[in-house]
Amino acid sequence: MAMELDVFVGNTTIMDEDVYLLWLDGYTVSDAVSMRMKSGILEQCGASQDVLESDTMDHYRTFQMTERLLHNPSKLVNQLLFQIPPHRQNMLIERWGGGAAIVKITVQKCYKILNPFSPSLAPSLPPSLALTGRYYAFDEAFVREVLGKKLSKGTKKDLDDVSAKTGITLKSCRRQFDNFKRVFKVVEEMKGPLVENIHQNFLLSDRLARDYAAIVFFANSRFETGKKKLQYLTFEDFAFCAEQLIQNWTLGAVDSMVEDMDVDLDKEFLQDLKDLKVLITDKDMMDQHKSLVCTALRGKLQVFSEMEGSFKNLSRGLVNIAGKLMNNKDVRDLFIDLVEKFIEPCKSDKWSLNDVRLFLTQHTNSVRALDAFKHQAVWERYMRVIQSCILKMYHD
Amino acid sequence: MPGKLKVRIVAGRHLPVMDRASDLTDAFVEVKFGNTTFKTDVFPKSLNPQWNSEWFKFEVDDEDLQDEPLQITVLDHDTYSANDAIGKVYIDIDPLLSSEAATVISGWFPIYDTIHGIRGEINVVVKVDLFNDLNRFRQSSCGVKFFCTTSIPKCYKVVTVHGFVEELVVNEDPEYQWIDRIRTPRASNEARQRLISLMSGELQRKIGLKVLEMGGNAVVGYLQCFDLEGESGLVVRAIGTACTLDKLSNPSAALLPACNSPSKEIKEVPFSEDPNPNTHSSGPSTPLKNQTYSFSPSKSYSRQSSSSDTDLSLTPKTGMGSGGSAGKEGGPLKTLLRQQTQTALEQREFPFFTLTCFPPGFLVHVGGVVSARSVKLLDRIHNPDEPETRDAWWEEIRQEIKSHAKALGCHAVIGYSESTSICEEVCILSASGTAAVLNPKFLQDGSLDGCSEHRLSRQPTYFSTGSEKGEFDFLPLSKDSSSVLGLEEPSPPSCGFCHIPYDELNMPFPAHLTYCYNCRKQKVPDVLFTTVDLPVEAAVTGKGCLIQARLCRLKKKAQGEANATAISNLLPFMEYELHTQLMNKLKLRGMNALFGLRIQISVGENMLVGLASATGVYLTALPTPGGIQIAGKTPSDITYEQHISNMQKKINDTIAKNKELYEITPPEMSEEIIGSPIPEPRQRSRIFRSHSESSDEISELDLSHGKKDAFVLEIDDADAVEDIHSLLTDAPLPAGFYSCNTEIMPGIYNWTTGLQMFTSVRVFRLNNVNLTNQGLNKIFNDLCENLLKSLYFKLRSMIPCCLCHVNFTVAVPEDELIQVAVTAVAMTFDKDQAQESWKASVDKALMKVIAENEEQLQFPLELCSDSPGAQPFSPRKGTAASVEYSSFANRCNSWIELVKVKALTIRRGSIKTTSSLEKASPQALGHARVRSTTAYTGSTITVVKMTPLSFIPGAKIVKYVGIINMFFIRETTSLREEGGVSGFLHAFIAEVFAMVRAHVAALGGNAVVSYIMKECVFMENPNKNQAQCLINVSGDAVIFVRESELEAIPVQPQTTSSQASNGGADVTT
């Protein structure tokens, strides 16, 4: 006595937002059914559990069939298999692409937020809420685990650990990982701006495209983000840093029509960074630099004496980081170095963010007054990024 | 050499990867028609090839053009081994052969493979240059238009209805040929698809020839089916109604707010029912042609008033043309009519009509449902060119139907359909329809003119009265109406069709007759069953609802004749029980008539499954149904009595609840107000008289059969317990939902534009070896109920909505499997009737005057006459019509035939006219415009609406671009990998929809109306990881324009949009 077969197919494809979220989240059908039941949907509609099971199965099948298209969203626009009305299609596209800010709430939370609304009201929900569950959206917890890791089979094998650690279902982890990898593969070798390429090929919103650009960039250069000291940093911090790096340190920052332009760092520039060493090796120059900074900051800095005391260490730290960047391995350690060599010392001396900002600005600008220093352009290109990254990273 | 077919292959996109090494494909295309094949160049290494081929030209006979499909095969070129097929596209070029349909087929078609499903798309352009062939002996019938729609298509008017056309062709099924043992499943599937495509082309051509012989130019209500008889062959058969249609020259003319000159409009469209969905916009001019479903004026019973009643009685009913002074009993009139009709119909072998909707005035009387079934043993068809046996079988059945119709005093059968159910070598052939008396004037050539003149002469009065009265519509009964009612005039169209066509003194079956509650002049039965749609002019109280009777009967496994005998023995009992169930459920809902009745009996190896679906309504003209009385046989036991009275109470509660739900308000009140001209006592006495005179003995006789009375359920009977149980287990509709299986839902007029067509299929496996009939019934009942519940849940976002044209099909594909498939459309409507525009201006003032509260407005002044509902549950009323198997004979040895005649009926007194509403409908239009959706942008793909109905709410069909009749096979040998049977079928149905949409879009259309899934044969073998499914769908491809767009752009904007999408073809990504 069993239902051997049970399907429902509409000429216009019906997609339930709540079920979509659950599916994206990697819940099994039976889990999804019990979660939907808890939401009180049955009472609202006077339906039974069988009905809910059958409905959930239908949706899961539909999503599985659409998944192939979601992998290549541009196909979705002119595919014939599912008739998704254009306005709905746009919504669907936006859905993968909506604001990543909301992604910080784990999808599970989103579900709870959605629950009070009856699904019949779903279309009328404010778009920001209705669009939370997205195929290309990712969990903050998850992305922090894999950010900067090689998007390889090896990493994929370790996803069960990630799943156990983050509490995100393995299925969902795999989907998110595959999304990263898919986007990476497509845009890796493309000419033109990275964000634009992602935007075009995956129809993602600008916001999400930027996030993906960061993920691709980090995966390509394999920046270390997982060390304990870096745990306090959020994905948004890194995404911001990635954007700075892309805009200032890559080939694309110099020439806009080369391959890999936004993905790889400008090697020539990294080589040139060696020349900055003179700032710390030349004792006169260093003293002159220090006095310039101290004069300018006197009275403005709350931690003036501490600054005075640690100027040489901090300055040495910043310039040493620059000097090492020609080695790939040291590039990977960029963020850990920034934390160890600069952020931690400042924090231990209880610098405020404003102190850091004033110091870095002055530190960068004062170099212009050093007549003996010949590498102003390289210095400024370097410090522009370092300064904004440190400021972004300087929090608890 | 009458035709040149030209084909161009433009491009492909989203092709599958055929070369694993390069992840690319070297695709080329073969274009085949008849025996000629052309090839494109290979477009190397691309998944989005651009062939931009030359025009491939085929010079062919028009006979071939009709029969053959254009076959396009996409292949992957392989230098070293055989080329691999990617998939195929079959294009039926028939729409290009009629000057009025499409002129070019151009667009993206899914490339379909029977094993892999859709694999990419191909852009194709097809044209036909046709030379006129004046040869009288030609075998082709190019130019005859085919419509699946079972009413007169919207942008046409009917000149003549010629009548029934049928044809069947047979062939060997390729699946059962010896060669099938050595060829691949793909080759076998393709052979089958191609053969069926060829056969349906041939069938259509042959039917077209018959139509031309009859002098017609179109087939309406075309229903083509195929019977997979297994070893004994493949039968493709079709029936339809031949007509002569005239295209409405200027459809936009009808769009003008035509309130100005009603009579003029009538001249333009004399008799024909109104072809475009918009006509309600033409205001008061259209009472005769309100073919409109969406805002159908006559439906607004709430608008009914005695004054309109007056109008109607002043206007002689056209159908009864000569009957102006007919006698009180209507007897002479009937004879006269009969004579008239006879001459018209007797020339025809079968006076059958596959139509279910008719131009007003066409339908004079409805007798009741006639049906015939026969069980046959299949044998091999030896000579496919002479399918005599199959023809003879159907001939027999049609004769039966014809004689049953005669027994009901009718000369025609409308809403006629035929079906089969096959299991191994046993086949049940079924036919059913509604016996009716038709207005002969539609049926003869040439008679139309006179007829329309006759009409016209009357129209002006009609209209003037109508418009004059418009303002008084809401006044409670004016005095003059009652005086008018006293006149012995022919009945108004709102009830005329309910009047019995047969002789009261010589009834073909027992029924209770009463005087019509509408006109009070003619007799009506107490219950009326029909297979047609509710006539638009009919007066209805409240809303309708879907009513189903479900039944399973176990049967021993047997072979050959023994099996056939067993089945034939079971059939009458099944029919009887289905009928009883229908009756009980109808009573339970407080309704008195069924429309769109469809009884399907499917045969399996060890059981028979019966499913009857219909839409119940309360016809105002028929008497209020009595309640259901439960009687116990052993009254001694107190607890037992309590049990019974509890049950009785439950039933009474349900009835009361249903009456409220469907807004069936008893008309008692109004009678006093009216001061009916026929005082109640008098009427009662008449009822008694007729009772004693005619039906008494028969009904007694009937009871003596020992069968349960339809309304008195005896609780001692195990079956009765079951019946009561099943009655009460029918889950109530969730709030906001309505459902019906007809085109329109009585009581809902304000459709909005939300439209969702869907197909749902369920297969249930019975693992219980020792099932009883009861157990089986319960399972089947639950299966259907749960399916409905699921639908309501799925579509909850559309509330308030109505499921229309709910079409269930049951099958017993294997020993322990029951398959139920449903296709229907959910349509949204505006619940807030108070804000409805048809109530707008005119009403508003009146609303204040008349009604303080809205309730009164909504179920208003039902002004009726009699108060029969006084004792709703009294046993006196409990007697009812019963079924009679008029012929039930075991003939010969191999088959048995069963026939049944039914006709039933009721009463009620509110009177309905069209005039009041017409006036308001332009506003309704405006309303619809406001609500219609905004145009979407962004995609290059045309959105194609699909609906089983013949219209699209809020839109006007401007052109029919061709009939869609497609047959697909899908097979898999990796069932598990494709998500099991559900995943497999889900994908296949989605693919079928996609292919239908693509074909419609390529024809330049943007919707399919009258869509139907005629066949869904599913077979599985999970052990071998295999499954196969066959689907046959059909419908009419149309171009519709939203009413909102119509205002702005009177010329078809659709062509441009479709061209735009085709143009987009070249730009592949």
Side-chain angles (χ1 to χ4, degrees):
Chain A
M1 301 252 287
M3 200 62 73
E4 183 92 356
L5 183 156
D6 178 4
V7 297
F8 173 99
V9 190
N11 182 39
T12 305
T13 307
I14 296 180
M15 292 184 171
D16 184 299
E17 315 256 348
D18 291 0
V19 187
Y20 189 48
L21 287 174
L22 293 169
W23 175 74
L24 283 178
D25 236 2
Y27 290 105
T28 60
V29 174
S30 57
D31 286 348
V33 168
S34 55
M35 292 181 79
R36 292 183 81 189
M37 271 166 63
K38 279 179 207 150
S39 78
I41 194 171
L42 290 184
E43 292 76 43
Q44 282 165 26
C45 309
S48 65
Q49 187 177 344
D50 306 351
V51 168
L52 207 55
E53 265 164 25
S54 142
D55 181 63
T56 311
M57 283 295 288
D58 273 324
H59 279 116
Y60 267 56
R61 273 197 302 273
T62 307
F63 297 142
Q64 269 150 26
M65 282 187 260
T66 24
E67 191 165 22
R68 193 172 48 86
L69 298 163
L70 291 171
H71 288 172
N72 189 349
S74 55
K75 261 190 191 174
L76 188 84
V77 183
N78 53 13
Q79 56 87 28
L80 300 176
L81 187 56
F82 296 101
Q83 178 156 284
I84 306 163
H87 70 285
R88 179 113 198 159
Q89 212 169 55
N90 286 339
M91 201 163 82
L92 199 75
I93 287 164
E94 278 166 39
R95 192 179 299 149
W96 321 312
I102 308 163
V103 178
K104 279 187 195 158
I105 317 168
T106 65
V107 182
Q108 206 168 339
K109 278 186 203 147
C110 291
Y111 186 65
K112 279 176 196 140
I113 291 168
L114 278 175
N115 274 346
F117 299 95
S118 123
S120 59
L121 291 176
S124 63
L125 284 175
S128 55
L129 264 184
L131 304 179
T132 26
R134 309 169 173 93
Y135 193 77
Y136 280 91
F138 44 81
D139 291 321
E140 165 82 14
F142 175 78
V143 74
R144 281 295 282 112
E145 289 299 319
V146 296
L147 190 64
K149 283 190 183 149
K150 197 175 174 187
L151 299 174
S152 63
K153 281 189 179 141
T155 315
K156 197 175 176 181
K157 271 182 197 146
D158 298 335
L159 286 180
D160 40 0
D161 296 338
V162 176
S163 167
K165 191 175 164 191
T166 57
I168 298 162
T169 59
L170 182 58
K171 221 174 162 186
S172 179
C173 288
R174 291 208 173 121
R175 173 182 61 81
Q176 297 182 40
F177 182 83
D178 288 340
N179 284 344
F180 294 169
K181 191 167 174 178
R182 193 176 316 110
V183 173
F184 182 85
K185 282 212 150 187
V186 169
V187 298
E188 191 185 19
E189 313 247 291
M190 256 181 204
K191 288 181 184 174
L194 187 56
V195 176
E196 194 49 34
N197 285 340
I198 294 172
H199 184 69
Q200 294 273 314
N201 281 277
F202 292 91
L203 306 176
L204 300 182
S205 73
D206 190 51
R207 176 91 207 208
L208 200 55
R210 277 169 206 282
D211 286 343
Y212 266 88
I215 292 163
V216 168
F217 183 76
F218 267 63
N220 189 56
S221 299
R222 314 253 303 275
F223 287 106
E224 176 60 65
T225 66
K227 285 269 160 52
K228 207 174 175 190
K229 281 179 177 161
L230 295 178
Q231 285 305 313
Y232 79 100
L233 292 169
T234 64
F235 171 70
E236 201 210 334
D237 296 334
F238 285 118
F240 176 84
C241 297
E243 199 174 344
Q244 294 301 315
L245 289 163
I246 292 170
Q247 281 171 11
N248 294 295
W249 286 7
T250 57
L251 288 167
V254 192
D255 177 354
S256 60
M257 275 327 283
V258 280
E259 277 187 26
D260 299 343
M261 53 171 267
D262 275 357
V263 187
D264 288 337
L265 295 175
D266 182 351
K267 287 269 186 280
E268 250 174 75
F269 164 68
L270 297 181
Q271 287 289 342
D272 293 344
L273 286 175
K274 272 192 310 196
D275 302 333
L276 301 182
K277 284 219 167 176
V278 70
L279 282 173
I280 48 170
T281 48
D282 185 328
K283 197 167 179 331
D284 291 348
M285 205 182 277
M286 192 153 167
D287 288 341
Q288 198 186 344
H289 189 194
K290 181 179 174 184
S291 68
L292 280 169
V293 173
C294 289
T295 319
L297 291 178
R298 192 180 306 272
K300 291 181 185 165
L301 226 53
Q302 286 175 0
V303 287
F304 184 77
S305 54
E306 289 91 338
M307 186 275 286
E308 225 176 354
S310 56
F311 179 89
K312 283 192 179 169
N313 265 342
L314 294 175
S315 195
R316 221 173 262 136
L318 291 176
V319 176
N320 277 333
I321 292 173
K324 291 197 297 179
L325 281 178
M326 44 192 262
N327 303 319
N328 279 338
K329 197 196 154 297
D330 294 307
V331 170
R332 289 180 202 171
D333 289 337
L334 174 66
F335 295 100
I336 193 105
D337 286 343
L338 286 176
V339 169
E340 284 177 352
K341 302 277 158 55
F342 191 90
I343 294 173
E344 279 181 350
C346 293
K347 275 187 182 169
S348 68
D349 285 345
K350 304 228 174 345
W351 291 35
S352 71
L353 183 61
N354 197 41
D355 295 337
V356 177
R357 181 178 295 118
L358 285 170
F359 171 75
L360 284 173
T361 314
Q362 208 50 53
H363 187 268
T364 310
N365 293 344
S366 302
V367 172
R368 282 187 209 137
L370 302 174
D371 299 331
F373 186 67
K374 302 285 181 225
H375 311 284
Q376 297 291 353
V378 176
W379 171 251
E380 290 198 7
R381 186 178 176 189
Y382 172 71
M383 279 310 286
R384 209 179 304 144
V385 171
I386 294 296
Q387 189 183 345
S388 36
C389 287
I390 289 177
L391 289 175
K392 185 78 191 168
M393 293 160 72
Y394 197 81
H395 61 80
D396 295 328
Chain B
M1 180 50 55
K4 193 188 269 178
L5 172 68
K6 300 189 291 182
V7 184
R8 199 165 86 87
I9 306 296
V10 184
R13 68 184 180 195
H14 307 168
L15 294 188
V17 169
M18 297 300 281
D19 179 5
R20 282 278 148 226
S22 65
D23 269 1
L24 289 167
T25 297
D26 304 318
F28 71 100
V29 182
E30 276 183 10
V31 185
K32 189 177 176 195
F33 190 82
N35 294 319
T36 319
T37 307
F38 291 101
K39 282 182 193 175
T40 66
D41 296 333
V42 174
F43 192 92
K45 303 209 181 307
S46 171
L47 298 182
N48 301 299
Q50 306 288 317
W51 292 289
N52 286 317
S53 80
E54 57 186 303
W55 285 99
F56 300 121
K57 291 174 185 136
F58 302 87
E59 299 187 328
V60 277
D61 284 342
D62 50 0
E63 194 179 327
D64 285 342
L65 278 174
Q66 285 196 292
D67 288 5
E68 295 268 351
L70 174 68
Q71 183 181 323
I72 293 167
T73 313
V74 185
L75 300 111
D76 176 52
H77 175 76
D78 201 324
T79 320
Y80 305 106
S81 60
N83 298 326
D84 295 324
I86 295 173
K88 286 183 193 256
V89 179
Y90 292 97
I91 300 176
D92 179 10
I93 47 170
D94 202 57
L96 296 179
L97 305 180
S98 159
S99 55
E100 282 164 33
T103 51
V104 62
I105 299 176
S106 163
W108 287 101
F109 291 89
I111 302 167
Y112 181 73
D113 178 71
T114 60
I115 305 293
H116 294 102
I118 290 177
R119 306 172 96 190
E121 290 126 33
I122 184 169
N123 192 273
V124 181
V125 186
V126 186
K127 285 181 179 173
V128 171
D129 290 339
L130 208 57
F131 314 120
N132 267 339
D133 185 9
L134 299 173
N135 178 5
R136 290 202 174 279
F137 303 101
R138 62 181 182 167
Q139 287 300 299
S140 75
S141 55
C142 289
V144 175
K145 299 177 282 290
F146 285 81
F147 300 93
C148 295
T149 303
T150 56
S151 55
I152 302 302
K154 298 288 184 276
C155 35
Y156 292 91
K157 63 173 179 175
V158 61
V159 178
T160 314
V161 180
H162 299 281
F164 189 62
V165 278
E166 48 78 30
E167 186 63 83
L168 65 80
V169 292
V170 298
N171 211 315
E172 268 188 274
D173 190 340
E175 185 103 336
Y176 295 87
Q177 285 164 347
W178 66 269
I179 195 170
D180 204 58
R181 285 175 210 156
I182 51 167
R183 66 181 166 191
T184 62
R186 176 180 284 119
S188 158
N189 292 339
E190 282 172 1
R192 258 177 134 185
Q193 282 193 171
R194 203 183 115 73
L195 179 71
I196 288 190
S197 185
L198 253 168
M199 286 168 78
S200 34
E202 183 190 342
L203 193 68
Q204 218 166 308
R205 175 174 56 83
K206 285 185 169 171
I207 287 207
L209 279 172
K210 288 190 176 181
V211 172
L212 290 175
E213 266 171 37
M214 295 166 99
N217 65 2
V219 182
V220 180
Y222 184 69
L223 177 71
Q224 188 203 77
C225 295
F226 63 87
D227 300 328
L228 296 171
E229 294 186 352
E231 291 284 343
S232 58
L234 187 65
V235 176
V236 184
R237 58 191 163 78
I239 55 175
T241 306
C243 295
T244 303
L245 298 182
D246 260 2
K247 197 162 168 61
L248 285 177
S249 45
N250 186 5
S252 56
L255 289 171
L256 298 171
C259 316
N260 37 12
S261 60
S263 48
K264 186 179 143 213
E265 255 243 312
I266 275 299
K267 270 171 203 150
E268 279 173 25
V269 197
F271 228 146
S272 40
E273 81 224 277
D274 180 2
N276 55 68
N278 243 359
T279 348
H280 40 284
S281 72
S282 40
S285 66
T286 52
L288 283 174
K289 8 172 247 153
N290 42 5
Q291 176 68 10
T292 60
Y293 302 129
S294 5
F295 301 98
S296 173
S298 60
K299 291 304 161 51
S300 71
Y301 54 91
S302 60
R303 301 293 88 171
Q304 296 330 316
S305 73
S306 56
S307 48
S308 36
D309 175 357
T310 319
D311 304 342
L312 281 172
S313 12
L314 284 170
T315 313
K317 185 164 186 291
T318 43
M320 318 200 42
S322 56
S325 57
K328 291 183 183 181
E329 301 301 324
L333 175 70
K334 264 174 213 152
T335 345
L336 201 67
L337 251 175
R338 203 162 290 154
Q339 283 162 356
Q340 275 184 358
T341 324
Q342 223 149 11
T343 47
L345 286 171
E346 268 181 1
Q347 303 146 359
R348 282 165 238 268
E349 191 184 8
F350 296 112
F352 295 172
F353 301 89
T354 53
L355 303 180
T356 58
C357 261
F358 298 90
F362 190 87
L363 198 57
V364 180
H365 295 306
V366 169
V369 171
V370 285
S371 75
R373 287 181 208 280
S374 113
V375 182
K376 304 283 188 188
L377 274 182
L378 298 172
D379 51 350
R380 186 168 275 279
I381 300 167
H382 296 289
N383 182 2
D385 293 330
E386 304 266 319
E388 280 157 354
T389 39
R390 300 299 184 277
D391 270 338
W393 289 355
W394 286 111
E395 170 97 21
E396 266 166 23
I397 292 220
R398 288 170 192 145
Q399 287 295 354
E400 287 286 355
I401 292 275
K402 192 181 174 184
S403 68
H404 294 323
K406 245 188 197 137
L408 284 173
C410 297
H411 302 284
V413 177
I414 55 175
Y416 180 73
S417 66
E418 295 175 346
S419 63
T420 58
S421 169
I422 297 169
C423 178
E424 303 291 322
E425 78 269 86
V426 178
C427 174
I428 303 180
L429 309 182
S430 315
S432 71
T434 305
V437 175
L438 301 178
N439 184 342
K441 289 181 175 146
F442 276 98
L443 305 169
Q444 288 161 331
D445 276 326
S447 68
L448 244 170
D449 290 343
C451 191
S452 53
E453 266 166 38
H454 159 85
R455 267 224 168 181
L456 277 170
S457 63
R458 287 167 194 273
Q459 281 323 310
T461 21
Y462 186 100
F463 287 125
S464 59
T465 344
S467 46
E468 219 171 85
K469 293 280 181 180
E471 292 143 42
F472 304 108
D473 274 355
F474 298 95
L475 296 178
L477 269 221
S478 48
K479 297 273 146 72
D480 61 337
S481 72
S482 22
S483 63
V484 172
L485 272 174
L487 292 171
E488 293 291 345
E489 281 281 305
S491 44
S494 60
C495 64
F497 73 95
C498 309
H499 300 162
I500 52 164
Y502 36 84
D503 188 352
E504 187 184 338
L505 299 174
N506 190 14
M507 288 202 293
F509 54 88
H512 281 249
L513 299 183
T514 51
Y515 277 93
C516 172
Y517 274 60
N518 197 1
C519 66
R520 300 172 173 283
K521 287 180 283 294
Q522 308 270 332
K523 292 284 179 70
V524 293
D526 51 358
V527 177
L528 185 64
F529 283 14
T530 77
T531 57
V532 294
D533 275 335
L534 183 70
V536 273
E537 65 269 27
V540 174
T541 303
K543 295 195 163 67
C545 80
L546 179 72
I547 292 179
Q548 285 195 321
R550 303 148 186 150
L551 189 68
C552 281
R553 279 289 168 266
L554 290 167
K555 148 186 112 56
K556 285 207 179 84
K557 276 192 189 176
Q559 294 294 314
E561 286 173 26
N563 194 18
T565 313
I567 292 169
S568 344
N569 287 339
L570 271 172
L571 281 178
F573 295 101
M574 291 197 65
E575 297 233 27
Y576 178 80
E577 278 192 44
L578 284 171
H579 181 262
T580 310
Q581 264 190 46
L582 280 177
M583 271 301 234
N584 287 337
K585 290 189 177 181
L586 188 66
K587 301 284 160 198
L588 199 67
R589 284 166 179 80
M591 296 175 182
N592 59 19
L594 287 180
F595 287 89
L597 177 65
R598 186 165 165 265
I599 300 180
Q600 197 195 354
I601 294 185
S602 284
V603 58
E605 273 188 38
N606 58 353
M607 67 174 114
L608 288 171
V609 181
L611 182 69
S613 309
T615 301
V617 296
Y618 188 115
L619 282 178
T620 317
L622 304 192
T624 307
I628 297 171
Q629 181 86 8
I630 298 178
K633 265 184 184 168
T634 48
S636 52
D637 195 344
I638 295 168
T639 52
Y640 182 72
E641 281 206 326
Q642 218 157 16
H643 176 62
I644 289 180
S645 70
N646 274 345
M647 231 187 262
Q648 179 73 59
K649 189 172 175 301
K650 251 189 206 166
I651 289 181
N652 294 352
D653 287 350
T654 317
I655 294 177
K657 226 182 279 169
N658 279 330
K659 280 191 174 172
E660 198 177 315
L661 178 62
Y662 302 113
E663 295 165 20
I664 299 167
T665 45
E668 289 107 303
M669 287 307 291
S670 36
E671 180 164 24
E672 279 98 40
I673 311 168
I674 299 173
S676 164
I678 302 170
E680 178 151 7
R682 192 173 133 210
Q683 200 186 16
R684 284 274 179 263
S685 69
R686 283 198 190 176
I687 294 168
F688 276 111
R689 198 186 60 207
S690 71
H691 188 78
S692 55
E693 275 170 9
S694 55
S695 52
D696 231 3
E697 314 84 3
I698 309 174
S699 58
E700 266 173 20
L701 188 92
D702 195 48
L703 283 168
S704 68
H705 276 300
K707 293 293 175 197
K708 312 177 292 290
D709 186 288
F711 309 130
V712 181
L713 297 172
E714 286 184 357
I715 201 78
D716 280 354
D717 190 339
D719 282 355
V721 177
E722 188 198 327
D723 283 343
I724 293 166
H725 188 70
S726 67
L727 270 180
L728 294 172
T729 48
D730 266 13
L733 286 166
F737 273 107
Y738 290 96
S739 61
C740 63
N741 76 334
T742 47
E743 286 249 315
I744 35 161
M745 175 68 169
I748 298 178
Y749 328 104
N750 36 343
W751 299 111
T752 50
T753 50
L755 193 70
Q756 170 67 287
M757 190 282 294
F758 58 85
T759 292
S760 186
V761 182
R762 286 193 178 186
V763 176
F764 195 86
R765 182 175 289 279
L766 310 158
N767 292 333
N768 253 344
V769 191
N770 298 317
L771 269 176
T772 57
N773 276 334
Q774 275 88 348
L776 205 56
N777 271 341
K778 185 171 177 337
I779 288 171
F780 181 47
N781 204 40
D782 288 350
L783 179 61
C784 295
E785 281 293 317
N786 289 338
L787 184 48
L788 282 170
K789 273 187 216 160
S790 270
L791 298 182
Y792 298 138
F793 181 76
K794 282 257 187 238
L795 300 164
R796 65 194 185 281
S797 65
M798 293 182 77
I799 286 177
C801 85
C802 178
L803 300 188
C804 293
H805 213 284
V806 178
N807 186 10
F808 271 71
T809 46
V810 285
V812 190
E814 272 171 53
D815 241 8
E816 290 172 328
L817 297 182
I818 301 180
Q819 176 188 318
V820 180
V822 191
T823 298
V825 64
M827 299 206 293
T828 54
F829 61 91
D830 191 349
K831 200 180 182 180
D832 201 0
Q833 301 212 346
Q835 286 180 6
E836 222 162 304
S837 46
W838 53 263
K839 286 194 173 182
S841 53
V842 184
D843 307 17
K844 269 181 188 161
L846 289 156
M847 270 159 85
K848 282 177 200 156
V849 180
I850 304 168
E852 305 269 341
N853 59 17
E854 297 203 338
E855 248 102 303
Q856 224 177 329
L857 261 174
Q858 291 191 15
F859 334 102
L861 327 163
E862 302 268 85
L863 17 128
C864 339
S865 25
D866 187 46
S867 53
Q871 307 160 278
F873 307 121
S874 78
R876 182 177 59 78
K877 305 228 170 192
T879 47
S882 67
V883 197
E884 186 187 73
Y885 295 102
S886 61
S887 110
F888 174 17
N890 189 338
R891 289 193 212 155
C892 305
N893 37 12
S894 66
W895 56 272
I896 296 187
E897 184 187 57
L898 157 85
V899 180
K900 176 184 81 164
V901 186
K902 297 178 218 164
L904 310 153
T905 328
I906 307 189
R907 68 194 151 170
R908 176 77 174 272
S910 109
I911 294 162
K912 191 162 293 189
T913 70
T914 48
S915 52
S916 63
L917 226 236
E918 313 271 3
K919 179 119 190 174
S921 20
Q923 286 140 1
L925 250 186
H927 187 58
R929 278 179 195 131
V930 174
R931 314 201 111 251
S932 77
T933 51
T934 49
Y936 303 132
T937 49
S939 173
T940 54
I941 292 168
T942 323
V943 172
V944 176
K945 301 250 180 208
M946 290 168 79
T947 172
L949 307 179
S950 62
F951 68 99
I952 292 166
K956 175 178 154 53
I957 293 171
V958 293
K959 194 177 183 189
Y960 282 77
V961 287
I963 192 170
I964 297 284
N965 190 357
M966 299 169 91
F967 171 81
F968 299 104
I969 302 179
R970 181 85 152 77
E971 187 165 352
T972 183
T973 47
S974 52
L975 189 58
R976 271 188 297 277
E977 294 77 357
E978 292 189 33
V981 284
S982 295
F984 170 70
L985 194 63
H986 192 141
F988 184 36
I989 294 174
E991 284 169 347
V992 169
F993 287 177
M995 287 185 279
V996 170
R997 287 192 302 258
H999 277 78
V1000 171
L1003 286 168
N1006 58 0
V1008 188
V1009 295
S1010 300
Y1011 169 83
I1012 174 174
M1013 181 184 267
K1014 289 176 294 193
E1015 206 87 39
C1016 177
V1017 185
F1018 179 76
M1019 289 157 287
E1020 56 166 331
N1021 190 341
N1023 298 331
K1024 284 188 177 169
N1025 206 16
Q1026 285 175 344
Q1028 193 192 35
C1029 186
L1030 294 79
I1031 288 183
N1032 181 209
V1033 297
S1034 64
D1036 294 323
V1038 300
I1039 300 174
F1040 75 86
V1041 181
R1042 286 258 169 247
E1043 274 155 7
S1044 51
E1045 290 165 24
L1046 261 179
E1047 273 187 335
I1049 327 151
V1051 211
Q1052 313 169 356
Q1054 287 312 324
T1055 23
T1056 48
S1057 84
S1058 66
Q1059 270 162 12
S1061 74
N1062 298 333
D1066 299 338
V1067 192
T1068 48
T1069 49

